[in-house]
Amino acid sequence: DVKVTQSSRYLVKRTGEKVFLECVQDMDHENMFWYRQDPGLGLRLIYFSYDVKMKEKGDIPEGYSVSREKKERFSLILESASTNQTSMYLCASSFRRVGQGVNTIYFGEGSWLTVV
Amino acid sequence: QKEVEQDPGPLSVPEGAIVSLNCTYSNSAFQYFMWYRQYSRKGPELLMYTYSSGNKEDGRFTAQVDKSSKYISLFIRDSQPSDSATYLCAMSRNDMRFGAGTRLTVKP
């Protein structure tokens, strides 16, 4: 089975703090993704990466950055957390390269971030 | 207009009922069609995956794709309380687009 592991399930951070969300996948997938999920807004893509050290902006990249130093690991960084970044963050991975079609993606369990 | 439209519900049915969940889409380039199930405070899990038009069955679940109408469906037969979850449709070609999710409750 595909395993996407998000290291932190529940976090509470203060406004202005730097926040790191870590994600590891064990299936040698090329593509990795970060989404946020909010009631009424559904899943929104923040960033994705199709290779080590490569990154592409998604639909809502503002206020976020990412890092992919190893194929299996994809980190989401909130440089200066704000209350409007309180949300559920989902990491995902897939085995197809962008441009060759993305047919399925597999999600982690999610990280619930509250910024106070 | 959103690329993928999905009625958010909520949908409440008695145990044993047949459930029909639907999505419409506007981009005819989509080739892959998926349904995800998401339990409360969990990540979405892949339930069904189909390519192109037609039906695919897996146990009590049937996924149906009608590309000419840009319409996909998920049917759940003999629904169980354990099926209570939010169901997300998704479709892709070069990137993935999700519906907003339909919240389903199956009452014992």
Side-chain angles (χ1 to χ4, degrees):
Chain A
D1 282 350
V2 175
K3 186 82 170 171
V4 179
T5 303
Q6 295 182 230
S7 56
S8 301
R9 288 279 284 142
Y10 300 96
L11 307 96
V12 179
K13 298 292 182 180
R14 294 193 181 278
T15 301
E17 274 193 82
K18 191 169 187 176
V19 182
F20 292 87
L21 299 179
E22 306 285 343
C23 175
V24 176
Q25 51 95 2
D26 67 357
M27 285 301 292
D28 202 33
H29 285 173
E30 290 88 2
N31 297 336
M32 294 191 75
F33 309 83
W34 275 106
Y35 289 86
R36 66 178 281 178
Q37 188 176 34
D38 301 286
L41 297 176
L43 282 161
R44 293 182 291 168
L45 181 63
I46 305 171
Y47 268 97
F48 66 97
S49 168
Y50 55 87
D51 204 348
V52 176
K53 297 193 186 293
M54 305 300 289
K55 61 183 179 183
E56 295 284 344
K57 293 180 180 179
D59 299 319
I60 52 161
E62 296 79 20
Y64 303 95
S65 62
V66 290
S67 172
R68 194 165 181 201
E69 296 296 319
K70 293 185 178 181
K71 190 175 185 180
E72 68 271 18
R73 190 178 296 270
F74 193 35
S75 302
L76 179 69
I77 303 151
L78 287 67
E79 295 289 343
S80 178
S82 63
T83 55
N84 63 12
Q85 292 179 309
T86 292
S87 186
M88 180 175 182
Y89 290 88
L90 287 159
C91 176
S93 71
S94 77
F95 61 88
R96 284 291 179 93
R97 284 190 176 274
V98 173
Q100 295 176 6
V102 178
N103 55 1
T104 55
I105 65 173
Y106 298 88
F107 287 92
E109 287 288 271
S111 296
W112 288 85
L113 172 66
T114 301
V115 183
V116 296
Chain B
Q1 184 190 6
K2 291 181 181 178
E3 273 192 294
V4 181
E5 297 277 2
Q6 182 176 11
D7 188 337
L11 182 61
S12 181
V13 301
E15 183 175 354
I18 296 174
V19 176
S20 172
L21 303 167
N22 311 294
C23 287
T24 59
Y25 62 95
S26 57
N27 187 347
S28 59
F30 288 135
Q31 292 183 314
Y32 303 99
F33 303 90
M34 289 132 281
W35 286 95
Y36 287 83
R37 178 175 62 196
Q38 185 175 22
Y39 291 115
S40 181
R41 303 189 81 82
K42 297 281 190 179
E45 58 177 321
L46 181 65
L47 198 58
M48 300 280 287
Y49 152 57
T50 56
Y51 173 73
S52 192
S53 285
N55 291 358
K56 184 175 183 178
E57 192 172 316
D58 184 1
R60 296 184 295 109
F61 298 90
T62 300
Q64 193 173 78
V65 175
D66 182 349
K67 292 187 79 176
S68 62
S69 301
K70 298 190 183 71
Y71 190 87
I72 69 171
S73 300
L74 178 71
F75 298 97
I76 307 174
R77 291 184 299 280
D78 187 25
S79 57
Q80 303 294 309
S82 59
D83 295 327
S84 297
T86 296
Y87 290 81
L88 300 155
C89 65
M91 46 203 76
S92 73
R93 186 167 189 265
N94 292 323
D95 62 359
M96 183 81 74
R97 294 294 166 184
F98 289 88
T102 300
R103 191 170 165 189
L104 171 68
T105 301
V106 181
K107 295 185 175 179

